[in-house]
Amino acid sequence: MKIKKILLPIAFLLLTLQLSAWGGLAHNTIAHIAQQNLTPEAEAEVARLLNGRTMVYYAMWMDNARSLPEFDFMRTWHWANVDSGFTYETMPQYPSGDVITATELAIHKLTSAAYCDSTKRVFLKILIHTIGEIHCPMHAGRSTDRGGNDHPIIWFGQPSNLHRLWDGQILDRARSWSYTEWARNLTAHVTVSDIAEMQRGTPRDWFGETVVFAHYIYKHTPQNENLSFSYIHGMRIIDGQRRTFLSVAEQQLTAGGYRLAYVLNTMFY
């Protein structure tokens, strides 16, 4: 009986770790880029709903809150699995929803006069997080390996898995920067036309891009491979171009930030 009491909390902890999102560094970077690109109207409404807090303050709220019973409904809202040969539209859907349906629901509630500020406050926090999740490659990973959790790799000599690698390990090894340094460096040379191109489409379109990147990541990351700096900086043919996996991660962070700003600016004008 005592063993069962010990094992149950451990099992719950392991499940929570398996369902983890982009690390705080990535979510904070995306939220910070978005915060810096809000219109005055959107900035005022975001500040009002968040009681003066920044979006970075709540960038990881959804991960923390889902362990509370009252927010258990959003446990599956962090990802949408897409197996090889499938698209988001052709994959079986979670009855409780996924990162796309959660994003669309949040936009609906935030733009409808039918919901009170307390509801909108919750769904703004959700939106800040899910737009980030849409851009995390392994949150578009396969159901067959639980988004890369059952895809083992060796990372700098230590056991890891593909999901954990793309949730944050690749960023942590690439640069020893804070989220503000990431944001400043990623946006330093972005042009107005670059931003306009990134902001085309819808969250479903953006998730489709992430699915494509996930395909290339699986292709170039064999199981049990011993990976190090060459994985981060090595050149590969990805989506028809010679580029590094670090550039993919940087593109997703940058696009996620500008797109979150776009969604908020479009809603709060």
Side-chain angles (χ1 to χ4, degrees), residues 25-52:
L25 177 61
H27 276 292
N28 289 346
T29 300
I30 289 170
H32 188 65
I33 292 172
Q35 188 83 45
Q36 300 301 307
N37 287 277
L38 295 178
T39 62
E41 295 81 5
E43 185 175 23
E45 183 64 5
V46 167
R48 186 184 74 81
L49 287 174
L50 298 183
N51 295 319

PDB file of all heavy atoms in Angstrom, residues 25-52:
ATOM      1  N   LEU A  25      12.080  29.608 -21.678  1.00  0.00           N
ATOM      2  CA  LEU A  25      12.887  30.514 -22.494  1.00  0.00           C
ATOM      3  C   LEU A  25      12.197  30.807 -23.820  1.00  0.00           C
ATOM      4  O   LEU A  25      12.106  31.963 -24.249  1.00  0.00           O
ATOM      5  CB  LEU A  25      14.269  29.908 -22.734  1.00  0.00           C
ATOM      6  CG  LEU A  25      15.215  30.704 -23.626  1.00  0.00           C
ATOM      7  CD1 LEU A  25      15.511  32.067 -23.014  1.00  0.00           C
ATOM      8  CD2 LEU A  25      16.518  29.930 -23.843  1.00  0.00           C
ATOM      9  N   ALA A  26      11.702  29.768 -24.484  1.00  0.00           N
ATOM     10  CA  ALA A  26      11.048  29.965 -25.776  1.00  0.00           C
ATOM     11  C   ALA A  26       9.746  30.740 -25.633  1.00  0.00           C
ATOM     12  O   ALA A  26       9.478  31.687 -26.388  1.00  0.00           O
ATOM     13  CB  ALA A  26      10.788  28.608 -26.435  1.00  0.00           C
ATOM     14  N   HIS A  27       8.913  30.340 -24.680  1.00  0.00           N
ATOM     15  CA  HIS A  27       7.636  31.035 -24.493  1.00  0.00           C
ATOM     16  C   HIS A  27       7.848  32.494 -24.090  1.00  0.00           C
ATOM     17  O   HIS A  27       7.141  33.389 -24.560  1.00  0.00           O
ATOM     18  CB  HIS A  27       6.801  30.317 -23.436  1.00  0.00           C
ATOM     19  CG  HIS A  27       6.027  29.164 -23.980  1.00  0.00           C
ATOM     20  ND1 HIS A  27       4.973  29.312 -24.864  1.00  0.00           N
ATOM     21  CD2 HIS A  27       6.152  27.828 -23.782  1.00  0.00           C
ATOM     22  CE1 HIS A  27       4.478  28.128 -25.163  1.00  0.00           C
ATOM     23  NE2 HIS A  27       5.181  27.216 -24.538  1.00  0.00           N
ATOM     24  N   ASN A  28       8.821  32.739 -23.230  1.00  0.00           N
ATOM     25  CA  ASN A  28       9.101  34.109 -22.819  1.00  0.00           C
ATOM     26  C   ASN A  28       9.605  34.949 -23.984  1.00  0.00           C
ATOM     27  O   ASN A  28       9.246  36.132 -24.112  1.00  0.00           O
ATOM     28  CB  ASN A  28      10.133  34.125 -21.688  1.00  0.00           C
ATOM     29  CG  ASN A  28       9.574  33.602 -20.384  1.00  0.00           C
ATOM     30  OD1 ASN A  28       8.365  33.453 -20.218  1.00  0.00           O
ATOM     31  ND2 ASN A  28      10.458  33.296 -19.446  1.00  0.00           N
ATOM     32  N   THR A  29      10.435  34.353 -24.831  1.00  0.00           N
ATOM     33  CA  THR A  29      10.949  35.072 -26.001  1.00  0.00           C
ATOM     34  C   THR A  29       9.817  35.454 -26.939  1.00  0.00           C
ATOM     35  O   THR A  29       9.731  36.603 -27.409  1.00  0.00           O
ATOM     36  CB  THR A  29      11.986  34.205 -26.742  1.00  0.00           C
ATOM     37  OG1 THR A  29      13.075  33.905 -25.862  1.00  0.00           O
ATOM     38  CG2 THR A  29      12.513  34.916 -27.982  1.00  0.00           C
ATOM     39  N   ILE A  30       8.931  34.515 -27.230  1.00  0.00           N
ATOM     40  CA  ILE A  30       7.790  34.784 -28.107  1.00  0.00           C
ATOM     41  C   ILE A  30       6.899  35.871 -27.517  1.00  0.00           C
ATOM     42  O   ILE A  30       6.490  36.818 -28.215  1.00  0.00           O
ATOM     43  CB  ILE A  30       7.001  33.480 -28.351  1.00  0.00           C
ATOM     44  CG1 ILE A  30       7.812  32.546 -29.251  1.00  0.00           C
ATOM     45  CG2 ILE A  30       5.628  33.763 -28.974  1.00  0.00           C
ATOM     46  CD1 ILE A  30       7.238  31.145 -29.367  1.00  0.00           C
ATOM     47  N   ALA A  31       6.596  35.756 -26.223  1.00  0.00           N
ATOM     48  CA  ALA A  31       5.732  36.746 -25.576  1.00  0.00           C
ATOM     49  C   ALA A  31       6.380  38.129 -25.571  1.00  0.00           C
ATOM     50  O   ALA A  31       5.705  39.154 -25.753  1.00  0.00           O
ATOM     51  CB  ALA A  31       5.408  36.304 -24.152  1.00  0.00           C
ATOM     52  N   HIS A  32       7.691  38.171 -25.377  1.00  0.00           N
ATOM     53  CA  HIS A  32       8.397  39.455 -25.337  1.00  0.00           C
ATOM     54  C   HIS A  32       8.410  40.111 -26.718  1.00  0.00           C
ATOM     55  O   HIS A  32       8.182  41.327 -26.827  1.00  0.00           O
ATOM     56  CB  HIS A  32       9.822  39.249 -24.840  1.00  0.00           C
ATOM     57  CG  HIS A  32      10.561  40.531 -24.587  1.00  0.00           C
ATOM     58  ND1 HIS A  32      10.192  41.426 -23.610  1.00  0.00           N
ATOM     59  CD2 HIS A  32      11.650  41.072 -25.205  1.00  0.00           C
ATOM     60  CE1 HIS A  32      11.024  42.463 -23.626  1.00  0.00           C
ATOM     61  NE2 HIS A  32      11.920  42.268 -24.580  1.00  0.00           N
ATOM     62  N   ILE A  33       8.668  39.338 -27.757  1.00  0.00           N
ATOM     63  CA  ILE A  33       8.616  39.893 -29.118  1.00  0.00           C
ATOM     64  C   ILE A  33       7.225  40.452 -29.391  1.00  0.00           C
ATOM     65  O   ILE A  33       7.069  41.556 -29.940  1.00  0.00           O
ATOM     66  CB  ILE A  33       8.994  38.829 -30.160  1.00  0.00           C
ATOM     67  CG1 ILE A  33      10.472  38.457 -30.042  1.00  0.00           C
ATOM     68  CG2 ILE A  33       8.687  39.322 -31.585  1.00  0.00           C
ATOM     69  CD1 ILE A  33      10.884  37.271 -30.902  1.00  0.00           C
ATOM     70  N   ALA A  34       6.207  39.696 -29.022  1.00  0.00           N
ATOM     71  CA  ALA A  34       4.832  40.153 -29.240  1.00  0.00           C
ATOM     72  C   ALA A  34       4.553  41.443 -28.471  1.00  0.00           C
ATOM     73  O   ALA A  34       3.970  42.394 -29.020  1.00  0.00           O
ATOM     74  CB  ALA A  34       3.849  39.066 -28.825  1.00  0.00           C
ATOM     75  N   GLN A  35       4.965  41.491 -27.212  1.00  0.00           N
ATOM     76  CA  GLN A  35       4.724  42.675 -26.369  1.00  0.00           C
ATOM     77  C   GLN A  35       5.336  43.918 -27.000  1.00  0.00           C
ATOM     78  O   GLN A  35       4.749  45.004 -26.951  1.00  0.00           O
ATOM     79  CB  GLN A  35       5.319  42.446 -24.986  1.00  0.00           C
ATOM     80  CG  GLN A  35       4.977  43.524 -23.968  1.00  0.00           C
ATOM     81  CD  GLN A  35       3.622  43.327 -23.322  1.00  0.00           C
ATOM     82  OE1 GLN A  35       3.278  42.226 -22.932  1.00  0.00           O
ATOM     83  NE2 GLN A  35       2.855  44.392 -23.197  1.00  0.00           N
ATOM     84  N   GLN A  36       6.505  43.766 -27.607  1.00  0.00           N
ATOM     85  CA  GLN A  36       7.200  44.901 -28.213  1.00  0.00           C
ATOM     86  C   GLN A  36       6.567  45.356 -29.523  1.00  0.00           C
ATOM     87  O   GLN A  36       6.936  46.413 -30.051  1.00  0.00           O
ATOM     88  CB  GLN A  36       8.669  44.525 -28.460  1.00  0.00           C
ATOM     89  CG  GLN A  36       9.448  44.148 -27.217  1.00  0.00           C
ATOM     90  CD  GLN A  36       9.481  45.258 -26.185  1.00  0.00           C
ATOM     91  OE1 GLN A  36       9.849  46.384 -26.499  1.00  0.00           O
ATOM     92  NE2 GLN A  36       9.091  44.939 -24.961  1.00  0.00           N
ATOM     93  N   ASN A  37       5.620  44.581 -30.031  1.00  0.00           N
ATOM     94  CA  ASN A  37       5.039  44.902 -31.343  1.00  0.00           C
ATOM     95  C   ASN A  37       3.527  45.084 -31.300  1.00  0.00           C
ATOM     96  O   ASN A  37       2.851  45.001 -32.329  1.00  0.00           O
ATOM     97  CB  ASN A  37       5.414  43.809 -32.344  1.00  0.00           C
ATOM     98  CG  ASN A  37       6.877  43.887 -32.750  1.00  0.00           C
ATOM     99  OD1 ASN A  37       7.246  44.648 -33.629  1.00  0.00           O
ATOM    100  ND2 ASN A  37       7.719  43.106 -32.073  1.00  0.00           N
ATOM    101  N   LEU A  38       2.993  45.366 -30.119  1.00  0.00           N
ATOM    102  CA  LEU A  38       1.576  45.653 -29.990  1.00  0.00           C
ATOM    103  C   LEU A  38       1.277  47.094 -30.394  1.00  0.00           C
ATOM    104  O   LEU A  38       2.094  47.993 -30.180  1.00  0.00           O
ATOM    105  CB  LEU A  38       1.113  45.441 -28.543  1.00  0.00           C
ATOM    106  CG  LEU A  38       1.167  44.023 -27.979  1.00  0.00           C
ATOM    107  CD1 LEU A  38       0.720  44.025 -26.522  1.00  0.00           C
ATOM    108  CD2 LEU A  38       0.295  43.074 -28.809  1.00  0.00           C
ATOM    109  N   THR A  39       0.103  47.301 -30.948  1.00  0.00           N
ATOM    110  CA  THR A  39      -0.371  48.662 -31.160  1.00  0.00           C
ATOM    111  C   THR A  39      -0.728  49.272 -29.801  1.00  0.00           C
ATOM    112  O   THR A  39      -0.945  48.534 -28.828  1.00  0.00           O
ATOM    113  CB  THR A  39      -1.615  48.677 -32.057  1.00  0.00           C
ATOM    114  OG1 THR A  39      -2.663  47.945 -31.384  1.00  0.00           O
ATOM    115  CG2 THR A  39      -1.339  48.043 -33.414  1.00  0.00           C
ATOM    116  N   PRO A  40      -0.809  50.585 -29.709  1.00  0.00           N
ATOM    117  CA  PRO A  40      -1.210  51.189 -28.418  1.00  0.00           C
ATOM    118  C   PRO A  40      -2.551  50.669 -27.913  1.00  0.00           C
ATOM    119  O   PRO A  40      -2.718  50.447 -26.704  1.00  0.00           O
ATOM    120  CB  PRO A  40      -1.270  52.682 -28.750  1.00  0.00           C
ATOM    121  CG  PRO A  40      -0.303  52.864 -29.880  1.00  0.00           C
ATOM    122  CD  PRO A  40      -0.431  51.610 -30.702  1.00  0.00           C
ATOM    123  N   GLU A  41      -3.496  50.446 -28.824  1.00  0.00           N
ATOM    124  CA  GLU A  41      -4.816  49.958 -28.420  1.00  0.00           C
ATOM    125  C   GLU A  41      -4.728  48.538 -27.861  1.00  0.00           C
ATOM    126  O   GLU A  41      -5.320  48.227 -26.817  1.00  0.00           O
ATOM    127  CB  GLU A  41      -5.783  50.002 -29.609  1.00  0.00           C
ATOM    128  CG  GLU A  41      -6.108  51.385 -30.122  1.00  0.00           C
ATOM    129  CD  GLU A  41      -5.044  51.972 -31.056  1.00  0.00           C
ATOM    130  OE1 GLU A  41      -4.075  51.237 -31.389  1.00  0.00           O
ATOM    131  OE2 GLU A  41      -5.163  53.148 -31.419  1.00  0.00           O
ATOM    132  N   ALA A  42      -3.994  47.695 -28.556  1.00  0.00           N
ATOM    133  CA  ALA A  42      -3.848  46.317 -28.100  1.00  0.00           C
ATOM    134  C   ALA A  42      -3.053  46.258 -26.801  1.00  0.00           C
ATOM    135  O   ALA A  42      -3.385  45.494 -25.885  1.00  0.00           O
ATOM    136  CB  ALA A  42      -3.169  45.472 -29.177  1.00  0.00           C
ATOM    137  N   GLU A  43      -2.026  47.056 -26.694  1.00  0.00           N
ATOM    138  CA  GLU A  43      -1.215  47.075 -25.479  1.00  0.00           C
ATOM    139  C   GLU A  43      -2.065  47.480 -24.270  1.00  0.00           C
ATOM    140  O   GLU A  43      -1.953  46.878 -23.186  1.00  0.00           O
ATOM    141  CB  GLU A  43      -0.045  48.041 -25.642  1.00  0.00           C
ATOM    142  CG  GLU A  43       0.913  48.042 -24.467  1.00  0.00           C
ATOM    143  CD  GLU A  43       2.126  48.927 -24.718  1.00  0.00           C
ATOM    144  OE1 GLU A  43       2.045  49.843 -25.558  1.00  0.00           O
ATOM    145  OE2 GLU A  43       3.148  48.706 -24.044  1.00  0.00           O
ATOM    146  N   ALA A  44      -2.938  48.471 -24.459  1.00  0.00           N
ATOM    147  CA  ALA A  44      -3.791  48.930 -23.363  1.00  0.00           C
ATOM    148  C   ALA A  44      -4.779  47.848 -22.942  1.00  0.00           C
ATOM    149  O   ALA A  44      -5.014  47.640 -21.747  1.00  0.00           O
ATOM    150  CB  ALA A  44      -4.527  50.197 -23.778  1.00  0.00           C
ATOM    151  N   GLU A  45      -5.371  47.149 -23.914  1.00  0.00           N
ATOM    152  CA  GLU A  45      -6.354  46.115 -23.585  1.00  0.00           C
ATOM    153  C   GLU A  45      -5.687  44.904 -22.942  1.00  0.00           C
ATOM    154  O   GLU A  45      -6.235  44.307 -21.998  1.00  0.00           O
ATOM    155  CB  GLU A  45      -7.128  45.698 -24.835  1.00  0.00           C
ATOM    156  CG  GLU A  45      -8.224  44.677 -24.605  1.00  0.00           C
ATOM    157  CD  GLU A  45      -9.353  45.167 -23.707  1.00  0.00           C
ATOM    158  OE1 GLU A  45      -9.352  46.363 -23.305  1.00  0.00           O
ATOM    159  OE2 GLU A  45     -10.250  44.352 -23.402  1.00  0.00           O
ATOM    160  N   VAL A  46      -4.530  44.534 -23.426  1.00  0.00           N
ATOM    161  CA  VAL A  46      -3.785  43.428 -22.820  1.00  0.00           C
ATOM    162  C   VAL A  46      -3.428  43.775 -21.375  1.00  0.00           C
ATOM    163  O   VAL A  46      -3.602  42.958 -20.461  1.00  0.00           O
ATOM    164  CB  VAL A  46      -2.523  43.100 -23.639  1.00  0.00           C
ATOM    165  CG1 VAL A  46      -1.581  42.193 -22.855  1.00  0.00           C
ATOM    166  CG2 VAL A  46      -2.905  42.445 -24.960  1.00  0.00           C
ATOM    167  N   ALA A  47      -2.945  44.981 -21.158  1.00  0.00           N
ATOM    168  CA  ALA A  47      -2.587  45.412 -19.805  1.00  0.00           C
ATOM    169  C   ALA A  47      -3.816  45.435 -18.892  1.00  0.00           C
ATOM    170  O   ALA A  47      -3.732  45.053 -17.715  1.00  0.00           O
ATOM    171  CB  ALA A  47      -1.931  46.791 -19.850  1.00  0.00           C
ATOM    172  N   ARG A  48      -4.937  45.864 -19.418  1.00  0.00           N
ATOM    173  CA  ARG A  48      -6.163  45.903 -18.613  1.00  0.00           C
ATOM    174  C   ARG A  48      -6.594  44.498 -18.201  1.00  0.00           C
ATOM    175  O   ARG A  48      -6.884  44.248 -17.029  1.00  0.00           O
ATOM    176  CB  ARG A  48      -7.284  46.585 -19.408  1.00  0.00           C
ATOM    177  CG  ARG A  48      -8.568  46.821 -18.607  1.00  0.00           C
ATOM    178  CD  ARG A  48      -9.659  47.396 -19.482  1.00  0.00           C
ATOM    179  NE  ARG A  48     -10.212  46.388 -20.387  1.00  0.00           N
ATOM    180  CZ  ARG A  48     -11.141  45.491 -20.022  1.00  0.00           C
ATOM    181  NH1 ARG A  48     -11.601  45.468 -18.785  1.00  0.00           N
ATOM    182  NH2 ARG A  48     -11.606  44.627 -20.903  1.00  0.00           N
ATOM    183  N   LEU A  49      -6.617  43.571 -19.158  1.00  0.00           N
ATOM    184  CA  LEU A  49      -7.055  42.207 -18.856  1.00  0.00           C
ATOM    185  C   LEU A  49      -6.067  41.471 -17.957  1.00  0.00           C
ATOM    186  O   LEU A  49      -6.465  40.632 -17.145  1.00  0.00           O
ATOM    187  CB  LEU A  49      -7.263  41.426 -20.154  1.00  0.00           C
ATOM    188  CG  LEU A  49      -8.509  41.808 -20.969  1.00  0.00           C
ATOM    189  CD1 LEU A  49      -8.519  41.067 -22.301  1.00  0.00           C
ATOM    190  CD2 LEU A  49      -9.791  41.505 -20.186  1.00  0.00           C
ATOM    191  N   LEU A  50      -4.789  41.798 -18.083  1.00  0.00           N
ATOM    192  CA  LEU A  50      -3.772  41.126 -17.266  1.00  0.00           C
ATOM    193  C   LEU A  50      -3.427  41.919 -16.012  1.00  0.00           C
ATOM    194  O   LEU A  50      -2.418  41.631 -15.359  1.00  0.00           O
ATOM    195  CB  LEU A  50      -2.511  40.887 -18.098  1.00  0.00           C
ATOM    196  CG  LEU A  50      -2.669  39.982 -19.329  1.00  0.00           C
ATOM    197  CD1 LEU A  50      -1.320  39.777 -20.020  1.00  0.00           C
ATOM    198  CD2 LEU A  50      -3.287  38.629 -18.961  1.00  0.00           C
ATOM    199  N   ASN A  51      -4.264  42.900 -15.692  1.00  0.00           N
ATOM    200  CA  ASN A  51      -4.071  43.699 -14.469  1.00  0.00           C
ATOM    201  C   ASN A  51      -2.683  44.324 -14.394  1.00  0.00           C
ATOM    202  O   ASN A  51      -2.049  44.362 -13.335  1.00  0.00           O
ATOM    203  CB  ASN A  51      -4.321  42.834 -13.226  1.00  0.00           C
ATOM    204  CG  ASN A  51      -5.767  42.368 -13.130  1.00  0.00           C
ATOM    205  OD1 ASN A  51      -6.692  43.139 -13.400  1.00  0.00           O
ATOM    206  ND2 ASN A  51      -5.965  41.118 -12.768  1.00  0.00           N
ATOM    207  N   GLY A  52      -2.224  44.826 -15.546  1.00  0.00           N
ATOM    208  CA  GLY A  52      -0.952  45.534 -15.593  1.00  0.00           C
ATOM    209  C   GLY A  52       0.271  44.659 -15.788  1.00  0.00           C
ATOM    210  O   GLY A  52       1.379  45.177 -15.962  1.00  0.00           O
TER     211      GLY A  52
END
